[in-house]
Amino acid sequence: MKIWLDGGLQDIDSARVSVLDHGLTVGDGVFETVKAVGGRPFALTRHLDRLTLSARGLGLPEPDLDEVRRACSAVLEAEPVALGRLRITYTGGLSPLGSDRGDHGPTLVVALGETARRADSTAAITVPWTRNERGALTGLKTTSYAENVVALARAHEQGATEALFANTVGQLCEGTGSNVFVVLDGEIHTPPVASGCLAGITRALVVEWTGARETDLPLDVLDRADEVFLTSSLRDVQSVHRVDARELSATPGPVTAKAMRVFDERSGDDLDP
């Protein structure tokens, strides 16, 4: 495997980031996960726009997007895979121990891993922890991800692949790495970004392509929704057949199935929508 690290390709065995990198010591970094199809990234422009917004939100220097694009192209060319997870990581760089940043400049890493197409349907659970819709990191895709690690481990323990959070006022918010949609009386709804959820790339495309409504939803909407589905860069649109102990349809419901079909068609027609 080839890794792009600070200006060029390196072998995975020789690529090294300092143990004092701020992304490691205090989680001071941002990232994007991009789906790669046949050696080409999907929706890269949208991902890079969000990378910039996240970096700006953390007070990091804005990334050189030309370099990031070169890095993505180089890694994809070096490691051709049919379906891949392209990970862009951008951190505060070499810094003193503690929260203050150093003056060495940021670290850029781009790596690629092969993946498989997700199942059409999955199970999810709700967790007792909340998203803070008013936090300093709200809406930013940062490497401070331990909360998601803990919640996802809980999901795996219960035979699920995703954990869903409410926010501090009891509204449905998001998953550890996905956005959540519900179908009520034939209409698709998803929490607004004001709920504290990440403005997902796939989420935005599904809203645009299906006419889904952004709606404040109580967490218990999951107990009565006709259909539930998740979206993310690697899930695309994925039906949910179980939430906690509640069983839904074993196969995607009609509204979800249509959303899946529309997304597959539209994303296949344009790799950078």
Side-chain angles (χ1 to χ4, degrees), residues 21-271:
D21 190 280
H22 230 212
L24 172 65
T25 57
V26 297
D28 178 28
V30 297
F31 77 99
E32 288 291 320
T33 297
V34 183
K35 181 174 68 172
V37 182
R40 297 176 62 191
F42 177 70
L44 183 59
T45 297
R46 289 178 184 253
H47 280 286
L48 295 187
D49 288 345
R50 189 173 65 183
L51 183 75
T52 300
L53 289 173
S54 294
R56 190 181 298 153
L58 277 191
L60 291 169
E62 292 196 8
D64 180 342
L65 297 188
D66 289 336
E67 180 187 5
V68 179
R69 285 184 179 275
R70 287 196 305 272
C72 292
S73 295
V75 169
L76 287 166
E77 184 176 344
E79 300 290 334
V81 295
L83 183 62
R85 176 195 298 264
L86 185 67
R87 162 77 182 229
I88 305 165
T89 308
Y90 184 71
T91 79
L94 181 63
S95 301
L97 290 173
S99 296
D100 290 329
R101 290 195 183 107
D103 56 8
H104 287 262
T107 298
L108 173 65
V109 180
V110 178
L112 177 69
E114 189 170 11
T115 189
R117 179 175 168 82
R118 52 88 180 114
D120 283 344
S121 182
T122 194
I125 66 166
T126 57
V127 289
W129 310 295
T130 59
R131 289 292 201 226
N132 182 0
E133 69 278 8
R134 296 176 294 172
L137 303 184
T138 301
L140 308 181
K141 194 170 180 68
T142 78
T143 58
S144 299
Y145 229 57
E147 184 177 73
N148 294 319
V149 173
V150 171
L152 189 57
R154 171 76 67 90
H156 290 328
E157 290 170 358
Q158 298 185 28
T161 70
E162 185 57 299
L164 303 176
F165 294 88
N167 62 16
T168 64
V169 293
Q171 295 171 334
L172 179 63
C173 188
E174 64 178 350
T176 66
S178 68
N179 292 107
V180 58
F181 289 72
V182 299
V183 178
L184 299 170
D185 297 325
E187 289 192 334
I188 304 174
H189 300 261
T190 193
V193 293
S195 71
C197 69
L198 185 72
I201 303 303
T202 306
R203 172 192 179 278
L205 292 172
V206 169
V207 169
E208 179 181 334
W209 292 344
T210 68
R213 297 173 56 186
E214 296 180 281
T215 309
D216 289 323
L217 301 162
L219 183 63
D220 66 8
V221 73
L222 297 171
D223 296 332
R224 52 189 169 82
D226 302 314
E227 302 172 34
V228 179
F229 64 84
L230 307 174
T231 64
S232 74
S233 291
L234 294 178
R235 292 179 189 268
D236 294 334
V237 178
Q238 185 181 40
S239 176
V240 174
H241 61 256
R242 175 171 62 84
V243 180
D244 294 328
R246 184 190 179 208
E247 298 286 344
L248 291 93
S249 174
T251 57
V255 178
T256 300
K258 181 177 180 180
M260 294 169 73
R261 184 170 62 253
V262 168
F263 188 85
D264 285 345
E265 292 172 353
R266 295 289 295 267
S267 62
D269 289 340
D270 185 1
L271 282 178

